[in-house]
Amino acid sequence: MENLMFVYCSCKVIWTLLITILGYSSSLPVGDDSICAAEELAKYSIIFTGKWSQTAFPKQYPLYRPPAQWSSMLGVTHSSDYSMWKKNEYASNGVRDFAEKGEAWVLMKEIEEAGEKIQSVHGIFSAPAISSGTGQTSTELEVHSRHPLVSFVVRIVPSPDWFVGIDSLNLCGGDHWMEEVSVDLFPYDAGTDSGFTFSSPNFATIPQDTVTEITCSSPSHPANSFYYPKLKILPPIAQVTMVKLKKNQLGLPVSHLNLPAKSNEVIDSISETPLDCEVSQWSSWGLCRGPCGKTGTKIRTRFVLLQPANDGTPCPDLDEERGCEPDNCI
C-alpha cells in the first residue's frame, strides 16, 4: 500500500511539473522577433538605389512609352505574425494590384487590417518614385523591439507584374539594433500576369502562380526580358541600404544626414552585360536568275531581331547566295 501511495505521489509531482512547464512554454512569444532585447524603439533612414541601366540590362531596355523607372516604395515594420509577401507563396490582392498597376490602396488596407486584428504592424513608410532606371529615393522608418522586421515592395515600370523588395528583414541583433544593412535586390514575378517582356499587354495568369524570382535563365524563354543564358546570375537591379539614426539625428530630413555618398555608386558599379546579336530564321530561297546555259544565282535573307551590345557576339551575314540552274532563263 505504501508503495502504491509513493508511486501515486511521484506521478502527481511529475504531472504537476509537466503542466507547469507546458504552461510556461505556451506563454512564450513565438517568432524570431521575440528574442529582440534591444532598446524599445529605433529609427532608420532607408535609401533605395536603382541600378536598372541599359548597360547592365540591354535586352529590350525600355526607352520610351514609358521609359525605365521605379514606382514609389511602400513598406511596413512588423512582427513575424505578419507577411507582406513571400517567395513561393501566393501574392495577396494588394500586392497584385501594386505589382501590376502601382495601386497601393488595397495593400494599405490589408496592412491596416492586419495591424488592427493581430497587432502585428508597428508602422507604414513610403518613399517617392524614381523617374529613371538609375537613381535614388529615401525616407525614414521606425522599428520596435516587438516589431523589428522590415518588408517593402517597389514596382518595376514598365512590366507585367514585376517588382523588387524585401521580405521580413530583421534589424534587431539580439541586444542591439544593426547600425547599417545593405541588400542587393533582384526582380520578382508576382505570379498574377503572364507577360514575358517589359511592355507585354495585360494577360492574367489563370490560375494564379506563386511569387517567383526572375533569373537569367528563368523563365527559360528567349522572349523573357531578363533572359541572359550566358550569365550565371543577373547583376543586381537595385540596392537598399538602411542606416540607424543617432538620437541627435532623429527628425532631420535624410538628405541632411551624414550618410555614405551613393550617387557615384550608381554609375561606377554598373555591370556591363554582353548581349549577343539575335537574327531571324532564313527566308525561303528566291527565284534563280541568270542567262540560259550558264549557272544562275538565288538569294535568301534574314533580319536582325536583337542588336548586340557591350561586346556581345556581332550579327552574322544577313544575305546568302547560292548557284542554281535558271528556270526561266533569258
Side-chain angles (χ1 to χ4, degrees), residues 19-315:
I19 292 295
T20 303
I21 292 169
L22 289 172
Y24 172 72
S25 62
S26 65
S27 66
L28 289 174
V30 178
D32 292 340
D33 50 319
S34 63
I35 61 174
C36 181
E39 58 181 333
E40 190 175 48
L41 294 174
K43 271 195 173 182
Y44 284 81
S45 67
I46 178 168
I47 305 105
F48 177 89
T49 304
K51 295 187 174 184
W52 184 19
S53 70
Q54 190 172 10
T55 304
F57 300 91
K59 187 174 182 181
Q60 302 165 2
Y61 189 79
L63 296 173
Y64 55 90
R65 297 182 181 178
Q69 57 191 274
W70 299 96
S71 77
S72 58
M73 172 192 291
L74 181 60
V76 59
T77 57
H78 58 94
S79 68
S80 59
D81 295 323
Y82 172 77
S83 173
M84 175 182 271
W85 66 275
K86 281 190 179 299
K87 183 179 177 180
N88 298 327
E89 294 189 7
Y90 292 105
S92 68
N93 290 336
V95 171
R96 178 200 64 202
D97 285 359
F98 191 88
E100 288 188 12
K101 299 174 282 188
E103 296 177 358
W105 188 87
V106 175
L107 183 54
M108 290 277 290
K109 195 71 175 174
E110 290 173 352
I111 295 171
E112 291 172 2
E113 288 175 354
E116 292 172 0
K117 186 177 181 181
I118 54 178
Q119 302 297 304
S120 58
V121 172
H122 178 71
I124 300 174
F125 60 90
S126 64
I130 304 174
S131 60
S132 61
T134 58
Q136 287 187 330
T137 187
S138 59
T139 188
E140 292 182 5
L141 61 89
E142 183 179 77
V143 284
H144 188 277
S145 57
R146 292 195 303 273
H147 305 84
L149 307 181
V150 176
S151 297
F152 72 81
V153 287
V154 179
R155 181 180 179 238
I156 297 173
V157 184
S159 74
D161 60 343
W162 302 341
F163 69 95
V164 297
I166 278 181
D167 166 38
S168 303
L169 176 67
N170 195 342
L171 293 179
C172 183
D175 61 350
H176 67 281
W177 294 105
M178 303 291 188
E179 290 297 323
E180 181 173 338
V181 180
S182 290
V183 180
D184 287 334
L185 303 177
F186 299 89
Y188 281 89
D189 187 320
T192 61
D193 193 291
S194 298
F196 273 125
T197 67
F198 295 119
S199 57
S200 292
N202 185 34
F203 187 70
T205 301
I206 301 174
Q208 180 177 334
D209 204 350
T210 57
V211 174
T212 55
E213 184 176 353
I214 301 172
T215 70
C216 54
S217 57
S218 179
S220 184
H221 194 291
N224 177 19
S225 292
F226 287 111
Y227 186 69
Y228 297 95
K230 289 189 176 181
L231 296 182
K232 291 184 177 179
I233 186 173
L234 284 176
I237 196 171
Q239 184 185 64
V240 66
T241 301
M242 282 165 272
V243 181
K244 185 175 179 292
L245 301 181
K246 297 177 182 178
K247 289 186 177 179
N248 62 353
Q249 293 175 324
L250 300 184
L252 293 177
V254 174
S255 59
H256 293 169
L257 302 177
N258 186 24
L259 300 177
K262 296 284 182 179
S263 56
N264 291 334
E265 181 185 9
V266 180
I267 300 171
D268 296 343
S269 67
I270 282 177
S271 304
E272 289 193 0
T273 303
L275 185 64
D276 297 338
C277 178
E278 293 182 14
V279 295
S280 68
Q281 297 294 322
W282 286 109
S283 67
S284 300
W285 287 102
L287 294 175
C288 184
R289 299 182 181 280
C292 295
K294 294 185 179 180
T295 302
T297 57
K298 58 183 179 180
I299 297 174
R300 64 177 182 175
T301 61
R302 56 187 173 184
F303 58 91
V304 175
L305 295 172
L306 193 65
Q307 291 287 352
N310 305 327
D311 296 323
T313 304
C315 294

